[in-house]
Amino acid sequence: MMRFAVGDHVRVLALGKKGHVRIPHYIRHQTGRVVNYCGTYLNPEDLAIGKTGGKAVDLYRVAFAQTTLWPDADHALHDRLIIEIYDHWLAPIEDTRHAP
Amino acid sequence: MPHDHHHEEHEALVIEDEAGNIEAQIIVDALQEVLIRKGLLTAHEVTAAIAKLESPGIHLGAKIVAKAWTDPAYKQRLLQDGRAAVQELEIPVTEARIIVVENTATRHNLITCTLCSCYPRSILGQPPSWYISKAYRARSVREPRRILAEFGLDLPRDVQLDVHDSNADMRYLVLPEPPAALHLRTPEDLEAMITRDHLIGVARDVA
């Protein structure tokens, strides 16, 4: 069962995991909006250490307003950054003020 | 004599993932030599594997784009399920999923991989060295409009720029806008106009 639907506002968690983590630091703690559900994939954090029997996890594409990610840089107001985030790195949010 | 380990000095020797990655090259050469000497691998197998890696290329990407420009039903399938639509053209796709992002008059797309060098290799072959560079990987998300300007593309501010970080399992292709007088051109002409830079999004106009 998918936790999020397209359009949902989400926050990227900072899980502090070590190893082969595919969620870059620049996107942690940021709030964005789900734009696409990608299906389920084996968790790269497990695959990297040879654990291929793990549970497949939901993967979403999430859009973020560039002006909130990099306030000091030169972005147009509608510019977006879209990145893939695994379900366990996402939390639902009610506050939609900062999402694109 | 005790081993006097100066960490910083070792760090400086590592040239990570730039074109001149000498340390990794030495290791790879040594490993290959051992495997060949033990009879586990032949030099021919190595060159054949490299040839296979390098055989896809921009011509395949151009074929996909030209088809999408001239066949609206194909374009819809391509945008809906990139992998299946690419395979229709008998291009063997090894990536789990291909997401095709369409440029329009009001939107431009740029592809990057901030964590490493993810790229639709089974379609486009190996990425250009600048795509793998730390400078591109960092700046393509932080200041993409400046990156585009350095590639000669001054994107108007009323055009929305979407940067796609292929950090996980998806791989991306940009579908550029078609050139003018599309119906007057042959598929071969169209394919010749499409460059790798269009498919990554550091170029926009096909002309």
Side-chain angles (χ1 to χ4, degrees), chain A residues 22 26 79-80 82 84 86, chain B residues 145 162 165 167 169 172:
Chain A
R22 301 298 304 181
Y26 77 84
D79 287 355
R80 302 188 298 175
I82 304 177
E84 301 155 35
Y86 296 96
Chain B
R145 284 178 180 267
D162 281 355
D165 188 347
N167 61 311
D169 288 287
Y172 299 86

Side-chain angles (χ1 to χ4, degrees), chain B residues 7-112:
Chain B
H7 196 64
E8 289 79 6
E9 285 174 21
H10 282 287
E11 291 287 290
L13 291 173
V14 179
I15 309 162
E16 196 205 350
D17 71 23
E18 298 290 348
N21 190 341
I22 293 161
E23 190 168 291
Q25 191 60 52
I26 292 168
I27 295 168
V28 168
D29 288 348
L31 179 64
Q32 184 176 323
E33 205 182 304
V34 170
L35 292 174
I36 289 172
R37 206 183 304 149
K38 284 188 175 291
L40 297 169
L41 196 66
T42 66
H44 176 72
E45 283 172 325
V46 175
T47 49
I50 292 170
K52 197 178 168 194
L53 277 175
E54 289 180 343
S55 63
I58 177 60
H59 59 288
L60 296 179
K63 194 170 143 186
I64 295 162
V65 169
K67 172 82 173 160
W69 283 344
T70 52
D71 180 343
Y74 179 79
K75 180 179 148 183
Q76 283 314 310
R77 295 199 297 279
L78 184 68
L79 293 174
Q80 214 152 54
D81 183 347
R83 185 172 195 260
V86 170
Q87 283 175 324
E88 276 182 47
L89 304 183
E90 293 178 356
I91 298 167
V93 180
T94 55
E95 289 85 1
R97 266 188 76 179
I98 300 292
I99 293 192
V100 177
V101 286
E102 184 185 16
N103 286 350
T104 66
T106 55
R107 181 171 301 178
H108 184 77
N109 294 282
L110 177 68
I111 312 304
T112 188

Side-chain angles (χ1 to χ4, degrees), chain A residues 8-10 12 27 30-36 60-66 68-69 78-85 90 98-100, chain B residues 160 162-164:
Chain A
D8 280 1
H9 294 277
V10 290
V12 180
I27 212 65
Q30 300 288 345
T31 64
R33 192 172 195 169
V34 173
V35 291
N36 188 203
Y60 299 90
R61 290 172 67 226
V62 184
F64 300 84
Q66 286 279 39
T68 61
L69 290 185
H78 48 196
D79 287 355
R80 302 188 298 175
L81 184 287
I82 304 177
I83 185 168
E84 301 155 35
I85 310 285
L90 289 173
H98 299 297
Chain B
Q160 177 178 326
D162 281 355
V163 177
H164 305 268

Side-chain angles (χ1 to χ4, degrees), chain B residues 117-178:
Chain B
S117 57
C118 295
Y119 190 75
R121 288 167 199 256
S122 68
I123 302 170
L124 298 184
Q126 302 306 299
S129 57
W130 56 258
Y131 183 88
I132 304 169
S133 72
K134 283 184 174 171
Y136 178 77
R137 287 161 47 195
R139 297 182 59 219
S140 55
V141 287
R142 181 185 283 272
E143 44 181 23
R145 284 178 180 267
R146 281 186 63 183
I147 289 272
L148 293 182
E150 287 167 22
F151 275 93
L153 169 56
D154 277 309
L155 192 69
R157 297 189 73 82
D158 57 353
V159 175
Q160 177 178 326
L161 175 57
D162 281 355
V163 177
H164 305 268
D165 188 347
S166 44
N167 61 311
D169 288 287
M170 307 293 103
R171 299 293 177 266
Y172 299 86
L173 272 181
V174 175
L175 175 61
E177 283 191 282

